[in-house]
Amino acid sequence: MPELESFPQEVKDQLTSVGSADVVIGFTSFKATDDLSWAAGLAQDGLNVLIAYPGGGDVIEFQPIAGVQFLHYPASTPERYLNAPKNIFGSFQEVLQIAQRLASKSCCVWNSAPQLASADIIESLIKPVLDQNFDLVIPGYTTAKFGALINSGIICPLTRALYGRRIEFPMAVDLGFSPQLLNRLIQVDPNTRVPRSSQWITTEAICAGMQICQTALLMEPPRPPDSSDLSSILAAVLGRIFSDLERNAAFWQRSKGSRSAPAFGEPYTKEQDEVAVDVTHLIETFQLGYRNLSEIWGLALSPATFLELKKLTKSSTAAFRMGDDLWVRIVYEFALAHRQRAMNRDHLLRSMTPLYLSWVASYTLQMLDVSADGFHHRLEQLALAYENQKPYLLSRWRWPDRFNP
Amino acid sequence: MKLPGSAQDPLWFKDAIIYELHVRAFFDSNNDGIGDFQGLTQRLDYLQDLGVTCLWLLPFFPSPLRDDGYDISDYLNVHPDYGTLDDFRAFLDAAHERKMQVMIELVINHTSDQHPWFQRARLAPEGSKEREFYVWSNSNEKYSQARIIFTDTEKSNWTWDPAAKAYYWHRFFSHQPDLNFDNPLVLEEVQKAMNYWLDQGVDALRLDAIPYLIERDGTNCENLPDTHLIVKEIRRAMDENHANRMILAEANQWPNDVRAYFGDGDECHMAFHFPLMPRIFMALRLEDRLPVTDIIAQTPPIPENCQWGIFLRNHDELTLEMVTDDERDYMYLAYSADPRMRVNVGIRRRLAPLMENNRRRIELLNSLLFSFPGTPILYYGDEIGMGDNIYLGDRNGVRTPMQWNADRNAGFSRAIPAKLFNPVIMDPIYGYNAINVEAQDGDPSSLLSWMRNMIALRKIFQVFGRGTIKFLNPANTKILAYLRLWKGEAILCVANLSRFPQPVALCLENFAGAKPIEMMGYVEFPPIGSQPYPLSLGAYEFLWFELHQSKEGEAGTPISEKGAKYA
Amino acid sequence: MWQQVSQALDQSVTRVVTRIALLLPGFVALLVALLVSWLAAWAVGFVLRRFLRSLEFDRKVARWGLPELRSETGRSPTDIAVRVVCWAIVIIGFLVGMTAFEATLTSRIVSQMFAYFPNLIAAIFVLLVGAAAARFFSRSVLIGAVNLNVQYAHLLSLGVKWLILVLTGAMALNHLEIGGKIVDEAFAILFGGIVLTLALAVGLGARDLVRRSLERQADRATEDVETLRHF
């Protein structure tokens, strides 16, 4: 990652001439045709706004907007702004460094497609920092019962159970930062020797005791590039979560219960009543996984969990149900195996794909006739299962022993 | 000349501590690589020090040894590899001098195909009394409902014999044809063999595989009524001529089916409680007492003069025949991740490797063995925590030479290692350098010392062998708590099945006023009141308490549970 | 005549004794070399073991993706490394001793052995790397194929494993200069056979995969049918 000192001279000169900015908005991908005229709305309250966009070719000539300046900065990989595959967790370091350099009062990093940004949306990410002294503003994207399943099934309830915060999208990639938080994120973590900004931002903020809030955005969660396969995404997400568990073990082992992060705006749940979903393919993958990956799963899963899976393979499609307790134990046992390095970590995480798909199949069958309210209730049940099983994770984390039920 | 046994009490087996060993694996005195009776005799002092009171010898008769001696070719002799009849007699006398009883095998369900009876039968004309010593058929369709027991090696219970030009019946290996107990001459011969050994002074007989004695079409050929008639006859003949002897039934069946082998106190004196054993392992792994309490609840009462034989491991695989399919799957997953550890319908590992060499778990399971109702049966080597070798075929991995010291061949033999009947265990954890009698003998913290102490403690209290059991059911299912009661004695046993400390509150209001005295250190605990009695137990901890009612001016006296019934 | 007999005997005894006397120093030198090399191996092993432990060598090996090494061999990577080094020292000591024992004959053998030694090391290295690679890649293929719902996942994985093992074996034999042309041809046959089998398996197995992929693309084109979204 290029450090600020390694920026080209003209960029450094421009930063010097800008001097300071109240708000820095950083895009991590950009095309010349992207429209930023909405930025005028941000400067109307007298704020001094700087929009940073990744450059690599010619500098783009924008229409002048009062109170808004533009800065192109060198991206760590030139292809990033050319619709090439992105880091699904977003990248923040350059924008944060620029915001720190300009002593900004609030910084917003936008990793989604630039055409989805608008004045209202960006404002909702920076206003809680400016007006109410929050350190991290996380978007609450539009939810749907069959959308963002990895988030519903793993990320959100696990964050709640282990880190004690109820956040809808803990791995959101469009975020608002305070100066305190961005100063912390720019620093290198002495344990991992990488900048904290390349680690899981939400848990960094939670463990540092920062103030976190959520803001409802009327947009769907960003999709990963089409070329990414589920197995890679799942392995990347789980890898990040499990690595984080190791790093923050001292924190999550002592947190108790959970509390909501304050939320602004009305969250929106998309109705998905007229949905036809065929889960046969998912169940087949699970059964194929059971037949072929048992040796690998056996390194992670306890005998009792394995036995439950064996019974599940014999279920008919209509009766295919994976209980919440079983799913949560699977996630926790893989976290333990990841920590114990029972095998190559990438293999371990990828081998979890059929298990995840079995959960998706079971969840989908349960949710087919369920309304939006029922959907939230269902997620609440799952989150409680994660919380209730936390002592199980704790006991096995503290006392690694193969002799488990 | 008939020699008496060494026991004076007809119910001696209720107080016994039985030690199962194989002569050929114990000690080799003539350095041919195979243990023998002279070697065993030399090691009787060790067994006496250990505190065991009855030695169960695996088959030592002449045999082609294709099933480790259970394929007998001569019932009335000793295999030359193990010595002579005189050696056996000398051993028996030496054991009796030390007040130890001796139990031998009486394998009557089948013989080796090399036995003269079978060699005669296959050439004898059809229908003749020689032929009818075994079970023959012209087709292999008969008794089709009988299950195959050795599923790994046998595809059928019938095998074609080209000399006899007929199929012969065998419930085990094909080289072990079943005797035909519908032929009265068979029972006569069996009784001759039985009397021969009882006359020598042998104290007990283990009847191997007795559920399978009789076959009838349309049945599963197990536990048939006529089988019990045979057993009753054997028992009657024994009682008539030999006092204070014992018959132990090997009937791997559900408790209700095993109950029948006690008869009305006129069949076997003892029977193994097979279904209890895997459930002890299951309860430990699940950290839940339910498998144990459940099976004991299903165990019917037995006649006063009878006894269950309880064990953790033996020379066979840890059998999973008497469990449900789910329980079997769980046990395979929990205790035998490597398929090489499995044989037939069981797991061929010793106690220590099953417990992953965790001392606390080993002690906990042994504490259950010594405090559950029944006579405990120890398997040789488990008192020092011997390991196994899963790469040896069949069940030989748990039948390796006894590890006496760190010398060559574990001190078992001075022969060159290649001559040993089975290789010694050599890995860094269970190998003879690490695990041996000599090293543990002088170490008061060793497992061997612990076992000695526990056996000695158990022998002081007859309640363990003769009393009833009553389970307490505290809310914490990781705690197994029970009372052992007999003639005014009350012992409270509490075991933590979990690897983490556990709290428990026991409802002991019937013993209000009593003072629990922890039995190992004779430590007084606070008296029992009307409220639930709180205890905390560490990981895999177990506690035994004598419950004493102490009145002022009186030494603590044992008490009875108010309203309880006793044996 | 007896005089001549006794003379002949005297001469032969003298020859034999002289011969023994000539060989004796060499023999003693061999024993000394063995003893010294054994002591050196013990000392080096002791130091090396402490060094590797201080480096947390076992943990690092596990992190490099080889945690199975201990479960496969029953020994930790530190143990294996120490043993290899110790035995190498002992073997070198033995060769030194052999050279001292009989300078002319054995030095030829010894120099040939020393010349062969790098090939042996290379072959062992190739085998170790190949075995690890076979296991790693076969597992990668297995997991990947299962995740793509390829029914022949196990066969594919087995094929990849044997492909790499056969390749590794052929390379090792080549380094050892064993077999020559026969090994090359056998390798070509085996390798070709495995590749053909895999091609058939993939070809047959991938039909479903391609069909499903096309169906999925067609589904995406239809706007009124929603699908599950994982992210």
Side-chain angles (χ1 to χ4, degrees), chain B residues 23 37-38 40-41 57 60 78 82-94 102-104 196-197 200-202:
Chain B
V23 177
F37 275 107
Q38 288 192 13
L40 175 56
T41 308
L57 308 183
F60 53 80
V78 170
Y82 310 141
T84 63
L85 268 171
D86 286 335
D87 292 337
F88 172 78
R89 289 182 190 117
F91 153 75
L92 191 60
D93 290 341
V102 173
M103 175 163 64
I104 68 167
Y196 177 81
W197 293 103
Q200 312 273 355
V202 160

Side-chain angles (χ1 to χ4, degrees), chain A residues 3 12 30 35 40 66 83 90 131 147 170 224 234 253 255 269 279 285 315:
Chain A
E3 294 292 326
K12 284 198 251 190
F30 203 77
D35 174 30
N83 286 331
D131 297 346
L234 191 63
Q253 287 192 41
S255 79
T269 300
V279 299
T285 307
S315 292

Side-chain angles (χ1 to χ4, degrees), chain B residues 243-287:
Chain B
N244 302 336
R245 312 300 170 99
M246 183 266 280
I247 298 177
L248 167 61
E250 191 229 5
N252 188 359
Q253 304 290 327
W254 293 102
N256 278 323
D257 292 324
V258 179
R259 168 63 185 87
Y261 288 94
F262 296 110
D264 296 316
D266 59 349
E267 287 190 41
C268 300
H269 301 79
M270 281 184 65
F272 291 107
H273 199 317
F274 273 100
L276 173 61
M277 178 268 304
R279 285 171 177 79
I280 292 175
F281 288 90
M282 215 180 304
L284 178 70
R285 189 67 186 246
L286 284 170
E287 299 189 357

Side-chain angles (χ1 to χ4, degrees), chain C residues 1-17:
Chain C
M1 191 193 91
W2 288 116
Q3 220 176 3
Q4 281 167 336
V5 165
S6 99
Q7 234 177 4
L9 277 173
D10 271 341
Q11 280 170 2
S12 65
V13 164
T14 310
R15 268 202 301 274
V16 167
V17 168

Side-chain angles (χ1 to χ4, degrees), chain B residues 8-229:
Chain B
Q8 308 305 317
D9 177 3
L11 297 181
W12 60 267
F13 49 89
K14 289 200 168 210
D15 304 318
I17 312 279
I18 300 178
Y19 187 88
E20 177 192 353
L21 64 92
H22 205 329
V23 177
R24 74 168 181 174
F26 210 64
F27 188 67
D28 174 19
S29 69
N30 60 355
N31 301 325
D32 63 351
I34 303 170
D36 44 55
F37 275 107
Q38 288 192 13
L40 175 56
T41 308
Q42 288 174 30
R43 295 295 168 165
L44 280 175
D45 287 338
Y46 162 76
L47 293 169
Q48 186 178 26
D49 278 345
L50 180 58
V52 297
T53 62
C54 176
L55 304 180
W56 161 20
L57 308 183
L58 295 176
F60 53 80
F61 311 101
S63 158
L65 296 178
R66 293 175 69 189
D67 185 21
D68 209 20
Y70 280 92
D71 48 334
I72 296 173
S73 55
D74 180 358
Y75 281 101
L76 304 179
N77 213 333
V78 170
H79 196 294
D81 283 351
Y82 310 141
T84 63
L85 268 171
D86 286 335
D87 292 337
F88 172 78
R89 289 182 190 117
F91 153 75
L92 191 60
D93 290 341
H96 284 173
E97 269 169 39
R98 290 165 173 79
K99 305 277 187 292
M100 284 196 256
Q101 287 75 54
V102 173
M103 175 163 64
I104 68 167
E105 297 269 359
L106 194 64
V107 184
I108 61 173
N109 179 66
H110 50 266
T111 69
S112 166
D113 58 3
Q114 301 305 308
H115 195 294
W117 295 345
F118 186 74
Q119 293 300 316
R120 194 180 60 192
R122 60 203 297 237
L123 299 172
E126 217 175 297
S128 64
K129 51 181 173 35
E130 291 84 8
R131 177 79 158 202
E132 293 307 309
F133 255 66
Y134 294 86
V135 181
W136 299 94
S137 172
N138 291 324
S139 90
N140 58 1
E141 306 290 324
K142 227 173 158 191
Y143 312 136
S144 55
Q145 292 179 37
R147 65 188 171 107
I148 296 172
I149 296 168
F150 284 171
T151 51
D152 278 7
T153 45
E154 303 301 322
K155 298 288 171 273
S156 168
N157 289 322
W158 291 105
T159 293
W160 176 258
D161 181 61
K165 292 196 178 40
Y167 291 94
Y168 63 87
W169 178 251
H170 58 90
R171 292 309 299 273
F172 296 94
F173 289 119
S174 57
H175 57 81
Q176 293 169 310
D178 274 26
L179 287 166
N180 177 18
F181 278 88
D182 287 325
N183 179 354
L185 291 177
V186 169
L187 185 57
E188 259 183 52
E189 290 294 337
V190 160
Q191 283 174 334
K192 268 192 210 157
M194 181 182 82
N195 287 329
Y196 177 81
W197 293 103
L198 292 173
D199 287 347
Q200 312 273 355
V202 160
D203 301 280
L205 300 170
R206 173 184 177 274
L207 294 187
D208 182 71
I210 57 166
Y212 316 110
L213 296 184
I214 295 284
E215 300 75 38
R216 293 285 179 263
D217 226 349
T219 70
N220 67 357
C221 302
E222 296 180 31
N223 311 315
L224 299 180
D226 287 348
T227 301
H228 293 285
L229 295 178

Side-chain angles (χ1 to χ4, degrees), chain A residues 303-304 306-307 310-311 395-396 399 401-405, chain B residues 284-285 326 329-330 333-335 354 356 361 499-500 540:
Chain A
F306 216 98
L307 197 60
K310 183 171 181 176
K311 290 183 201 167
S395 65
R396 286 201 51 192
W399 195 263
D401 186 349
R402 286 177 309 187
F403 205 85
N404 311 299
Chain B
L284 178 70
R285 189 67 186 246
D326 277 352
D329 287 340
Y330 181 78
L333 288 167
Y335 286 107
L354 285 166
E356 297 191 350
R361 285 183 209 127
R499 63 213 139 109
F500 303 119
Y540 299 126

Side-chain angles (χ1 to χ4, degrees), chain B residues 22 24-25 58 67-70 314-317 350 379-380 386 388 392 394-401 421-423:
Chain B
H22 205 329
R24 74 168 181 174
L58 295 176
D67 185 21
D68 209 20
Y70 280 92
N314 60 18
H315 59 287
D316 283 331
E317 67 275 18
R350 269 189 180 263
Y379 186 52
Y380 87 92
M386 259 174 73
D388 52 39
L392 296 178
D394 196 30
R395 292 150 290 178
N396 293 325
V398 304
R399 302 172 184 179
T400 54
F421 74 96
N422 263 340

Side-chain angles (χ1 to χ4, degrees), chain A residues 162 245 248-256 339 390 394 397-398:
Chain A
L162 299 188
L245 286 184
N248 297 322
F251 179 88
W252 62 261
Q253 287 192 41
R254 299 167 74 161
S255 79
K256 286 183 180 24
R339 181 199 178 206
K390 184 176 175 181
L394 253 171
W397 189 280
R398 291 180 178 176

